[in-house]
Amino acid sequence: MMSCCAVCKAPANQRCSGCQQVVYCNRDHQRQHWKATHRRECCCYRVEQNACLGRHLVATRNIRQGEIILTDTAYVAGPKMVSVPVCLGCNRDLMPLLQLSGANHFHECSGCGWPLCGAECEKSDQHRHECIILARSGYRPKLYPDFNNVHKRETAYCVIVPLRLLLLERNAPEKYAHIQTFESHLAQRLQSPLYEVVRSNVVPFARTVLGLRQYTEQHILQVCGILDTNCYEVLLPHRHTKIRALYPWGAMLSHDCKPNTKHYFDASMNMILVATTDIPQSAIITVSYTQPLLGTLHRRIALKQAKLFDCQCDRCADPTEFGTNISGFRCPQCRGGFVLPSQPTDYRTPWRCQRRKCSFQEPINLYVARCERLEKELMSLDKTDPKSYDSFLERYGTVLHGWNAYVLQAKYALLQLLVNSASGEGEKKDQIECRARRVIELCRDLLEVADRLEPGFGVFRGKLLVKLETSFGILNRLGSMTNHERGKWQAVKDEILHISKTDPSVVVSI
């Protein structure tokens, strides 16, 4: 069937190379349409919907690795439900600011009395609408600087982002109407203890304290559900804090434990979505809501608790998790095979040895108990001493698979300790070299895992490449680098430079 030109409606077959969604009868009409409207509308994705995923984004053409897919601006942003003291004007963590200035109290907004950086933040676009509501209520939060616990969390912030969303009804009705179509999973959330807390705290705070009686309990709970389902955690390094933000396109991205995109946030808090691998036309565009170094059971439980869905992705369906055996431990019966879940997408599945001639199996509760012991031991290690992690790895080297989740977490923690440890005074050259070579060894091991779980330009892989490049640089300065290592170093530099073209968070030292 012949399509129609977007300009003159004549039969046409010249398709836009960007989005593949619009056709033209000639180049002049394509240029005309581009200048008029299509420049703003052209994109490499479209929204689709099905019963399993709901609304999600699908590639309308082949997307190249490293290509920026979209830039998204937050509808609302602000403190997490329980937060360190932050400025309601610019989201800055207020404790470091107080320590730097030597003050012993927060600056209070002259309108509402809530803590801010200073007078300059009182008129910020983010705060000025809510300031009227907060001031009218007469409520003043009891937030006091605690220099003995600079990371102390405050519950008074639980109402701020829900309030900002509700205020969009008057100040940005189109955005508000769009948000009302987002998934909240409210029926399921109301069965959780957390939403009993939300019901008994956020709802009366909004309706009674702030006087927003036009919103029913059900509506406020739905708003909280929408935020919990769709918000992203945003790290603001220059403001020393983490906040949460709701992005309209970000809310439509489907989860996969082996995603084909990553995202980062620019200085204006825009979310930039980048393809980590080549994405073929008609493929679903995916992100990951979980950490890559978690086993399937723990990833799926985390997703069920936070996002209220059971992940059925290819990684979750594969007992070996793409050959990493990240959930595996050595069979205590035959000592040769590894024990893995029989049906990994079934929470009650038994765990069986993968060797054909071995009959060992155990119920899920014994596997969970083992994981709890390992996690407790890993969390109790001295986080300042590399030897404690080396000891953990030695203890479990013959018990767990070499890429078991707890082994990988210990390796990554050890790697970060070694990278961040400054050379002590009088430290000998061979000690510095030994540490650099240990980092290189750990990076290479973890990169093998990253290549299977987050290939291409993935976040985890990018971090490892930067650490690997830094350690090669140390060997170079020490004059201890072989010609083979020099070639590897240059290859790593080239790869990081390639990644950094679309991700400024990845930096290489030249």
Side-chain angles (χ1 to χ4, degrees), residues 250-427:
M252 295 188 193
L253 291 169
S254 181
H255 164 81
D256 196 290
C257 293
K258 185 182 179 181
N260 53 27
T261 71
K262 66 178 177 182
H263 59 272
Y264 66 92
F265 303 95
D266 65 15
S268 300
M269 245 172 52
N270 295 311
M271 186 176 82
I272 317 297
L273 188 72
V274 181
T276 54
T277 61
D278 289 337
I279 303 175
Q281 182 177 350
S282 300
I284 297 171
I285 298 172
T286 60
V287 294
S288 177
Y289 303 153
T290 63
Q291 298 298 320
L293 298 187
L294 292 176
T296 292
L297 179 64
H298 294 88
R299 287 195 323 280
R300 297 185 80 243
I301 289 175
L303 290 167
K304 185 68 171 177
Q305 291 175 341
K307 301 298 183 180
L308 299 200
F309 71 89
D310 290 310
C311 187
Q312 305 286 335
C313 74
D314 289 344
R315 178 180 172 185
C316 286
D318 179 4
T320 73
E321 300 183 54
F322 305 133
T324 61
N325 293 307
I326 209 170
S327 300
F329 63 92
R330 191 171 295 279
C331 177
Q333 181 171 294
C334 71
R335 306 298 301 170
F338 288 96
V339 180
L340 293 169
S342 303
Q343 299 291 333
T345 55
D346 179 356
Y347 291 108
R348 296 170 294 181
T349 188
W351 289 63
R352 293 193 175 99
C353 179
Q354 299 300 292
R355 292 186 75 177
R356 290 182 180 178
K357 296 182 180 180
C358 183
S359 60
F360 176 82
Q361 73 172 40
E362 70 176 19
I364 184 66
N365 62 302
L366 293 183
Y367 173 77
V368 170
R370 178 184 290 104
C371 289
E372 288 175 347
R373 290 193 300 271
L374 286 166
E375 184 171 1
K376 184 178 180 181
E377 184 174 349
L378 186 59
M379 292 299 102
S380 68
L381 297 178
D382 184 347
K383 294 175 177 55
T384 64
D385 184 10
K387 291 181 181 178
S388 65
Y389 289 96
D390 271 323
S391 178
F392 179 90
L393 293 171
E394 185 176 350
R395 275 197 305 280
Y396 292 104
T398 58
V399 179
L400 302 174
H401 189 277
W403 285 343
N404 177 277
Y406 298 102
V407 171
L408 292 175
Q409 290 169 40
K411 287 178 178 178
Y412 191 58
L414 173 60
L415 171 64
Q416 290 177 299
L417 264 180
L418 294 174
V419 168
N420 295 332
S421 61
S423 301
E425 283 188 29
E427 191 174 28

Side-chain angles (χ1 to χ4, degrees), residues 48 105 138 143 149 152 213 239-240 261 275 283 362 405-406 418 436 446:
E48 290 193 358
H105 65 280
L143 305 183
N149 184 7
K152 180 182 177 183
R213 295 190 175 277
R239 292 173 185 166
H240 312 286
T261 71
E362 70 176 19
Y406 298 102
L418 294 174
L446 291 169

